[in-house]
Amino acid sequence: MSSPAPPKSPELSDKSKKYDRQIRLWGDHGQTLLETATICLVNVTAVGCEVAKGLVLPGIGGFTVADGSTVKEEDLGNNFFLDYSYLGKSKALACKQLLQELNPDANGDYVDESIDYILENRANFFESFDLVIASNLNEQSLLQLSNRLWESNVPFVYCRSLGMLGSIRLQLKEHCIVEAHPDNRQFDLRLEQPFEALRDHLESTEVTNKVPWLLVLYKFLKAWQTEHGAGRQAPGNYKEKTQLREAIGAAMQKDEENYEEAIKAVNTAFGAGLVPSSLKAIFEDDACEQLHKKSDVFWIMAKALKHFVVEENKGYLPLPGVLPDMTANTDSYIALQHIYRQQALHDADQVYHKCQEYLKQLSLPADSIDERTVRLLCREAAGLSVQRGTRIADEYEKNCRLLPLVEDNELQGNLTVYYFALRAYERFLSECGSIPGECTVEQDIGRLKTITSKMLNDLGLHVAISDDVLHEICRYGGAELHAVSAFIGGCAAQEVIKIITKQYKPIDNTFIYNAISTESVTLKL
């Protein structure tokens, strides 16, 4: 009789295997937000399809393609999501079916109607979506869609791809970011003012070459504090930090890695846990001070966090409870990790109970905010961020927001001129009903120049765009190059994921790309 098979080690689910790499970036909770989101793609263009591809592959919950046109031969040269079998058929249907093949997890739908028809006849169509993506619209359609989505508070991502040029514009009324994922995160260790459980552990544990460097650093920090007195908690300048490093080095025996790590940590181990200026601005925001029944849960949690910091924790943030890697024996590291985690849970619990008080005062359901969400907010408190955006339509009115782009009657920056050139292209589409350069390049250059001059004058900008740039716009004849569309589409999909998962900071708010010089710039308009 054969021996029984050994028990299998726990394995990842099929879904976790499928999305493993991206879950490492934005976590299970970010993936859940992505899988429950629905987006709408307006216009089946090469760049629009590339954005959708970048969302369907990682598992967007649902997508709807809206386009009232049919597939023509000229559409097949630059768009992999249209093929010959769909010639003469609905573009929206073709795009939906070919995108759906990429990932059966995403629920696809299509609407065989133009954006103009939808805006005129289906006023509430876009309100059911978490985000809308559109590309290569004429000026009139863009402004109408921009206004409709702004009124409905639906995030809007608008992409342009024309020849060797591309741009992305995000329209967000208010975007609250909990997990900003800063490049240089500082660990919050509280060595200067340890909480009770940590202080007891640090002072009762013998410092050997087997303990984490935290205990080594604390021992010498205590001596430094005694020497300097007068309430000094930690070294604050290069000279003082050098003295502390030298003191640790002088006591170090050979092969004591934890001492070496303590010396390296002197620069970064102190100063965390205080309220940064960005968080102070959130605490002082009217949305935080004046809660109401329609307040986003972010602001309810922010007010609870403020109460905890000011009233209960002597001006310090909740402890994140996250430790860096350290050379130490397993038991001593786990013991230290446990102390930090327990304090972090305690702090988050205080904030959670305050959230529940506010929910009760506002007559909102208690389950509007759960403990896991509060723990995440407390862990990331130092990096909380709020972006308040502007309407795309505001850029088309005479105001001072565009004035920084002009100095001494010259457009500032190499790429700013292309922003206005692309806008002039869209105005040409609206006013002339045709694509500049599609038939008569020389004649259209003159018309485009007239439109551009009037547009800039209407905006109160006393500048001119060179004939070379306008000639380049006409020379493209409305053509999309797939390589440029793929790049812009990939960048835009990344921004959409940031918005949906509320992680990482999206661009604020306009990105322009020139494929000829491979230059890009971000402008706040």
Tab-separated table of all heavy atoms in Angstrom, residues 173-214:
chain	number	residue	atom	x	y	z
A	173	LYS	N	-13.174	66.651	-10.223
A	173	LYS	CA	-13.681	67.697	-9.325
A	173	LYS	C	-12.926	67.652	-8.000
A	173	LYS	O	-12.393	68.651	-7.541
A	173	LYS	CB	-15.184	67.483	-9.097
A	173	LYS	CG	-15.947	68.760	-8.853
A	173	LYS	CD	-17.442	68.472	-8.859
A	173	LYS	CE	-18.226	69.646	-9.425
A	173	LYS	NZ	-19.667	69.372	-9.464
A	174	GLU	N	-12.896	66.476	-7.400
A	174	GLU	CA	-12.144	66.276	-6.162
A	174	GLU	C	-11.695	64.815	-6.120
A	174	GLU	O	-12.500	63.909	-6.325
A	174	GLU	CB	-13.012	66.586	-4.939
A	174	GLU	CG	-12.296	66.374	-3.615
A	174	GLU	CD	-13.188	66.646	-2.410
A	174	GLU	OE1	-13.275	67.816	-2.000
A	174	GLU	OE2	-13.812	65.693	-1.912
A	175	HIS	N	-10.419	64.617	-5.874
A	175	HIS	CA	-9.881	63.257	-5.850
A	175	HIS	C	-9.075	63.078	-4.566
A	175	HIS	O	-8.066	63.758	-4.352
A	175	HIS	CB	-9.000	63.010	-7.073
A	175	HIS	CG	-8.447	61.622	-7.146
A	175	HIS	ND1	-9.242	60.499	-7.110
A	175	HIS	CD2	-7.173	61.162	-7.236
A	175	HIS	CE1	-8.493	59.418	-7.193
A	175	HIS	NE2	-7.230	59.802	-7.258
A	176	CYS	N	-9.543	62.189	-3.701
A	176	CYS	CA	-8.904	61.943	-2.400
A	176	CYS	C	-8.035	60.686	-2.484
A	176	CYS	O	-8.531	59.621	-2.840
A	176	CYS	CB	-9.959	61.786	-1.316
A	176	CYS	SG	-11.087	63.200	-1.194
A	177	ILE	N	-6.764	60.845	-2.153
A	177	ILE	CA	-5.799	59.744	-2.279
A	177	ILE	C	-5.360	59.304	-0.890
A	177	ILE	O	-4.841	60.103	-0.106
A	177	ILE	CB	-4.564	60.200	-3.090
A	177	ILE	CG1	-4.994	60.760	-4.449
A	177	ILE	CG2	-3.576	59.053	-3.267
A	177	ILE	CD1	-3.987	61.691	-5.074
A	178	VAL	N	-5.575	58.036	-0.596
A	178	VAL	CA	-5.139	57.484	0.686
A	178	VAL	C	-3.733	56.898	0.561
A	178	VAL	O	-2.852	57.180	1.376
A	178	VAL	CB	-6.126	56.410	1.191
A	178	VAL	CG1	-5.595	55.729	2.441
A	178	VAL	CG2	-7.493	57.045	1.472
A	179	GLU	N	-3.510	56.107	-0.471
A	179	GLU	CA	-2.194	55.467	-0.648
A	179	GLU	C	-1.429	56.166	-1.779
A	179	GLU	O	-1.587	55.831	-2.946
A	179	GLU	CB	-2.374	53.992	-0.968
A	179	GLU	CG	-2.966	53.197	0.183
A	179	GLU	CD	-3.229	51.758	-0.201
A	179	GLU	OE1	-2.330	50.920	-0.044
A	179	GLU	OE2	-4.353	51.473	-0.665
A	180	ALA	N	-0.597	57.123	-1.412
A	180	ALA	CA	0.142	57.892	-2.413
A	180	ALA	C	1.418	57.171	-2.858
A	180	ALA	O	1.999	57.518	-3.880
A	180	ALA	CB	0.494	59.266	-1.867
A	181	HIS	N	1.857	56.169	-2.094
A	181	HIS	CA	3.079	55.419	-2.407
A	181	HIS	C	4.274	56.347	-2.673
A	181	HIS	O	4.827	56.351	-3.774
A	181	HIS	CB	2.869	54.496	-3.620
A	181	HIS	CG	1.822	53.453	-3.423
A	181	HIS	ND1	2.069	52.244	-2.821
A	181	HIS	CD2	0.503	53.431	-3.747
A	181	HIS	CE1	0.967	51.511	-2.784
A	181	HIS	NE2	-0.007	52.224	-3.333
A	182	PRO	N	4.678	57.149	-1.695
A	182	PRO	CA	5.815	58.056	-1.925
A	182	PRO	C	7.088	57.281	-2.231
A	182	PRO	O	7.273	56.147	-1.757
A	182	PRO	CB	5.934	58.821	-0.604
A	182	PRO	CG	5.271	57.945	0.411
A	182	PRO	CD	4.182	57.225	-0.319
A	183	ASP	N	7.960	57.882	-3.038
A	183	ASP	CA	9.197	57.200	-3.431
A	183	ASP	C	10.112	56.941	-2.242
A	183	ASP	O	10.744	55.897	-2.154
A	183	ASP	CB	9.946	58.034	-4.479
A	183	ASP	CG	9.204	58.082	-5.803
A	183	ASP	OD1	8.453	57.128	-6.084
A	183	ASP	OD2	9.357	59.070	-6.545
A	184	ASN	N	10.202	57.902	-1.336
A	184	ASN	CA	11.114	57.773	-0.195
A	184	ASN	C	10.317	57.814	1.105
A	184	ASN	O	10.291	58.819	1.804
A	184	ASN	CB	12.154	58.901	-0.215
A	184	ASN	CG	12.988	58.872	-1.482
A	184	ASN	OD1	13.597	57.859	-1.791
A	184	ASN	ND2	13.003	59.973	-2.218
A	185	ARG	N	9.666	56.709	1.396
A	185	ARG	CA	8.848	56.633	2.609
A	185	ARG	C	9.748	56.581	3.841
A	185	ARG	O	10.705	55.806	3.902
A	185	ARG	CB	7.969	55.384	2.558
A	185	ARG	CG	7.026	55.261	3.759
A	185	ARG	CD	6.407	53.871	3.783
A	185	ARG	NE	5.578	53.630	2.631
A	185	ARG	CZ	4.277	53.898	2.582
A	185	ARG	NH1	3.683	54.454	3.621
A	185	ARG	NH2	3.577	53.636	1.499
A	186	GLN	N	9.441	57.404	4.830
A	186	GLN	CA	10.189	57.382	6.091
A	186	GLN	C	9.443	56.518	7.100
A	186	GLN	O	8.249	56.695	7.321
A	186	GLN	CB	10.363	58.797	6.643
A	186	GLN	CG	11.222	58.831	7.899
A	186	GLN	CD	11.401	60.238	8.453
A	186	GLN	OE1	10.720	61.175	8.024
A	186	GLN	NE2	12.294	60.396	9.416
A	187	PHE	N	10.153	55.590	7.706
A	187	PHE	CA	9.538	54.733	8.719
A	187	PHE	C	9.330	55.531	9.995
A	187	PHE	O	10.216	56.269	10.445
A	187	PHE	CB	10.408	53.510	8.988
A	187	PHE	CG	10.408	52.513	7.868
A	187	PHE	CD1	11.433	52.507	6.935
A	187	PHE	CD2	9.381	51.592	7.724
A	187	PHE	CE1	11.440	51.599	5.885
A	187	PHE	CE2	9.368	50.679	6.685
A	187	PHE	CZ	10.398	50.683	5.762
A	188	ASP	N	8.142	55.394	10.569
A	188	ASP	CA	7.770	56.119	11.785
A	188	ASP	C	8.067	55.216	12.987
A	188	ASP	O	7.305	54.297	13.295
A	188	ASP	CB	6.284	56.478	11.719
A	188	ASP	CG	5.840	57.320	12.894
A	188	ASP	OD1	6.676	57.615	13.767
A	188	ASP	OD2	4.653	57.692	12.936
A	189	LEU	N	9.174	55.475	13.680
A	189	LEU	CA	9.652	54.572	14.734
A	189	LEU	C	9.429	55.104	16.145
A	189	LEU	O	9.493	54.336	17.108
A	189	LEU	CB	11.147	54.286	14.520
A	189	LEU	CG	11.498	53.715	13.132
A	189	LEU	CD1	13.006	53.615	12.966
A	189	LEU	CD2	10.840	52.354	12.938
A	190	ARG	N	9.208	56.384	16.299
A	190	ARG	CA	8.920	57.031	17.592
A	190	ARG	C	10.023	56.817	18.630
A	190	ARG	O	9.736	56.706	19.831
A	190	ARG	CB	7.580	56.527	18.153
A	190	ARG	CG	6.394	56.690	17.242
A	190	ARG	CD	5.965	58.152	17.112
A	190	ARG	NE	5.075	58.312	15.982
A	190	ARG	CZ	3.742	58.240	16.066
A	190	ARG	NH1	3.166	58.042	17.222
A	190	ARG	NH2	3.012	58.388	14.988
A	191	LEU	N	11.265	56.766	18.224
A	191	LEU	CA	12.354	56.571	19.177
A	191	LEU	C	12.535	57.783	20.085
A	191	LEU	O	12.939	57.646	21.239
A	191	LEU	CB	13.659	56.286	18.434
A	191	LEU	CG	13.801	54.898	17.804
A	191	LEU	CD1	15.120	54.777	17.074
A	191	LEU	CD2	13.678	53.816	18.871
A	192	GLU	N	12.268	58.980	19.565
A	192	GLU	CA	12.453	60.190	20.370
A	192	GLU	C	11.471	60.226	21.537
A	192	GLU	O	11.825	60.629	22.646
A	192	GLU	CB	12.245	61.452	19.536
A	192	GLU	CG	13.039	61.492	18.235
A	192	GLU	CD	12.203	61.043	17.051
A	192	GLU	OE1	11.708	59.890	17.076
A	192	GLU	OE2	12.040	61.830	16.109
A	193	GLN	N	10.219	59.801	21.280
A	193	GLN	CA	9.193	59.762	22.317
A	193	GLN	C	8.455	58.430	22.231
A	193	GLN	O	7.342	58.351	21.722
A	193	GLN	CB	8.213	60.926	22.146
A	193	GLN	CG	8.705	62.241	22.722
A	193	GLN	CD	7.551	63.217	22.944
A	193	GLN	OE1	6.607	63.262	22.165
A	193	GLN	NE2	7.623	63.995	24.014
A	194	PRO	N	9.083	57.368	22.716
A	194	PRO	CA	8.454	56.039	22.574
A	194	PRO	C	7.179	55.931	23.399
A	194	PRO	O	7.090	56.486	24.505
A	194	PRO	CB	9.539	55.092	23.093
A	194	PRO	CG	10.425	55.920	23.949
A	194	PRO	CD	10.385	57.306	23.398
A	195	PHE	N	6.195	55.256	22.842
A	195	PHE	CA	4.971	54.975	23.593
A	195	PHE	C	5.305	53.955	24.683
A	195	PHE	O	6.359	53.307	24.666
A	195	PHE	CB	3.866	54.483	22.663
A	195	PHE	CG	4.264	53.394	21.709
A	195	PHE	CD1	4.100	52.052	22.034
A	195	PHE	CD2	4.832	53.712	20.475
A	195	PHE	CE1	4.456	51.049	21.145
A	195	PHE	CE2	5.212	52.711	19.586
A	195	PHE	CZ	5.028	51.381	19.925
A	196	GLU	N	4.415	53.798	25.632
A	196	GLU	CA	4.735	53.065	26.862
A	196	GLU	C	5.241	51.645	26.614
A	196	GLU	O	6.280	51.236	27.149
A	196	GLU	CB	3.509	53.028	27.769
A	196	GLU	CG	3.783	52.409	29.130
A	196	GLU	CD	2.553	52.419	30.036
A	196	GLU	OE1	1.534	53.043	29.656
A	196	GLU	OE2	2.610	51.787	31.102
A	197	ALA	N	4.536	50.883	25.791
A	197	ALA	CA	4.932	49.485	25.562
A	197	ALA	C	6.305	49.405	24.898
A	197	ALA	O	7.114	48.521	25.218
A	197	ALA	CB	3.885	48.784	24.702
A	198	LEU	N	6.574	50.334	23.992
A	198	LEU	CA	7.872	50.340	23.316
A	198	LEU	C	8.980	50.732	24.285
A	198	LEU	O	10.055	50.115	24.304
A	198	LEU	CB	7.842	51.310	22.131
A	198	LEU	CG	9.153	51.468	21.355
A	198	LEU	CD1	9.592	50.133	20.755
A	198	LEU	CD2	9.030	52.526	20.264
A	199	ARG	N	8.716	51.767	25.093
A	199	ARG	CA	9.733	52.204	26.053
A	199	ARG	C	10.075	51.076	27.036
A	199	ARG	O	11.255	50.816	27.313
A	199	ARG	CB	9.239	53.430	26.806
A	199	ARG	CG	10.285	54.010	27.769
A	199	ARG	CD	9.826	55.322	28.379
A	199	ARG	NE	8.601	55.151	29.178
A	199	ARG	CZ	7.425	55.650	28.822
A	199	ARG	NH1	7.305	56.338	27.688
A	199	ARG	NH2	6.367	55.468	29.578
A	200	ASP	N	9.050	50.375	27.514
A	200	ASP	CA	9.300	49.269	28.441
A	200	ASP	C	10.162	48.196	27.790
A	200	ASP	O	11.083	47.658	28.412
A	200	ASP	CB	7.975	48.660	28.910
A	200	ASP	CG	7.190	49.608	29.804
A	200	ASP	OD1	7.788	50.611	30.278
A	200	ASP	OD2	5.988	49.367	30.013
A	201	HIS	N	9.868	47.892	26.536
A	201	HIS	CA	10.622	46.850	25.828
A	201	HIS	C	12.066	47.289	25.581
A	201	HIS	O	13.006	46.515	25.802
A	201	HIS	CB	9.943	46.538	24.494
A	201	HIS	CG	10.666	45.524	23.666
A	201	HIS	ND1	10.632	44.175	23.948
A	201	HIS	CD2	11.465	45.663	22.564
A	201	HIS	CE1	11.369	43.522	23.055
A	201	HIS	NE2	11.891	44.408	22.206
A	202	LEU	N	12.238	48.537	25.140
A	202	LEU	CA	13.586	49.026	24.828
A	202	LEU	C	14.468	49.069	26.071
A	202	LEU	O	15.664	48.789	26.012
A	202	LEU	CB	13.495	50.427	24.197
A	202	LEU	CG	12.835	50.520	22.816
A	202	LEU	CD1	12.667	51.980	22.410
A	202	LEU	CD2	13.639	49.774	21.761
A	203	GLU	N	13.858	49.448	27.196
A	203	GLU	CA	14.660	49.617	28.412
A	203	GLU	C	14.888	48.317	29.169
A	203	GLU	O	15.800	48.231	30.000
A	203	GLU	CB	13.999	50.654	29.317
A	203	GLU	CG	14.019	52.051	28.676
A	203	GLU	CD	13.460	53.135	29.574
A	203	GLU	OE1	12.914	52.783	30.649
A	203	GLU	OE2	13.546	54.323	29.215
A	204	SER	N	14.084	47.307	28.863
A	204	SER	CA	14.242	46.032	29.584
A	204	SER	C	15.007	44.984	28.782
A	204	SER	O	15.278	43.900	29.279
A	204	SER	CB	12.861	45.474	29.960
A	204	SER	OG	12.115	45.165	28.778
A	205	THR	N	15.355	45.303	27.530
A	205	THR	CA	16.034	44.333	26.672
A	205	THR	C	17.528	44.654	26.605
A	205	THR	O	17.926	45.789	26.363
A	205	THR	CB	15.449	44.362	25.244
A	205	THR	OG1	14.039	44.144	25.307
A	205	THR	CG2	16.090	43.281	24.372
A	206	GLU	N	18.348	43.645	26.837
A	206	GLU	CA	19.801	43.821	26.782
A	206	GLU	C	20.244	43.996	25.322
A	206	GLU	O	19.786	43.267	24.434
A	206	GLU	CB	20.498	42.603	27.388
A	206	GLU	CG	22.013	42.730	27.417
A	206	GLU	CD	22.683	41.471	27.938
A	206	GLU	OE1	21.956	40.523	28.329
A	206	GLU	OE2	23.929	41.424	27.940
A	207	VAL	N	21.114	44.968	25.086
A	207	VAL	CA	21.611	45.226	23.738
A	207	VAL	C	22.784	44.297	23.438
A	207	VAL	O	23.840	44.380	24.072
A	207	VAL	CB	22.049	46.697	23.583
A	207	VAL	CG1	22.667	46.921	22.193
A	207	VAL	CG2	20.857	47.623	23.777
A	208	THR	N	22.587	43.401	22.492
A	208	THR	CA	23.639	42.483	22.035
A	208	THR	C	23.742	42.591	20.521
A	208	THR	O	23.021	43.375	19.891
A	208	THR	CB	23.297	41.031	22.418
A	208	THR	OG1	22.168	40.604	21.631
A	208	THR	CG2	22.957	40.902	23.901
A	209	ASN	N	24.611	41.800	19.931
A	209	ASN	CA	24.737	41.834	18.465
A	209	ASN	C	23.628	41.055	17.775
A	209	ASN	O	23.623	40.943	16.549
A	209	ASN	CB	26.110	41.318	18.027
A	209	ASN	CG	26.313	39.861	18.393
A	209	ASN	OD1	25.522	39.260	19.127
A	209	ASN	ND2	27.401	39.280	17.903
A	210	LYS	N	22.660	40.537	18.542
A	210	LYS	CA	21.552	39.756	17.964
A	210	LYS	C	20.240	40.526	17.912
A	210	LYS	O	19.271	40.073	17.313
A	210	LYS	CB	21.317	38.474	18.787
A	210	LYS	CG	22.527	37.551	18.872
A	210	LYS	CD	22.880	36.960	17.533
A	210	LYS	CE	24.020	35.940	17.648
A	210	LYS	NZ	24.409	35.412	16.326
A	211	VAL	N	20.198	41.687	18.561
A	211	VAL	CA	18.927	42.425	18.609
A	211	VAL	C	18.836	43.386	17.424
A	211	VAL	O	19.856	43.760	16.839
A	211	VAL	CB	18.788	43.210	19.939
A	211	VAL	CG1	18.793	42.267	21.118
A	211	VAL	CG2	19.879	44.271	20.063
A	212	PRO	N	17.623	43.836	17.068
A	212	PRO	CA	17.476	44.793	15.958
A	212	PRO	C	18.218	46.097	16.245
A	212	PRO	O	18.376	46.500	17.402
A	212	PRO	CB	15.965	45.017	15.889
A	212	PRO	CG	15.357	43.813	16.528
A	212	PRO	CD	16.311	43.389	17.591
A	213	TRP	N	18.643	46.779	15.180
A	213	TRP	CA	19.404	48.021	15.342
A	213	TRP	C	18.628	49.106	16.078
A	213	TRP	O	19.195	50.034	16.639
A	213	TRP	CB	19.904	48.553	14.001
A	213	TRP	CG	18.861	48.911	12.981
A	213	TRP	CD1	18.515	48.188	11.885
A	213	TRP	CD2	18.051	50.102	12.939
A	213	TRP	NE1	17.543	48.830	11.167
A	213	TRP	CE2	17.243	50.026	11.789
A	213	TRP	CE3	17.934	51.223	13.755
A	213	TRP	CZ2	16.320	51.004	11.446
A	213	TRP	CZ3	17.006	52.212	13.425
A	213	TRP	CH2	16.214	52.103	12.273
A	214	LEU	N	17.311	48.979	16.101
A	214	LEU	CA	16.473	49.955	16.795
A	214	LEU	C	16.874	50.079	18.262
A	214	LEU	O	16.949	51.183	18.816
A	214	LEU	CB	15.010	49.502	16.699
A	214	LEU	CG	13.963	50.592	16.579
A	214	LEU	CD1	13.790	50.959	15.121
A	214	LEU	CD2	12.645	50.114	17.142
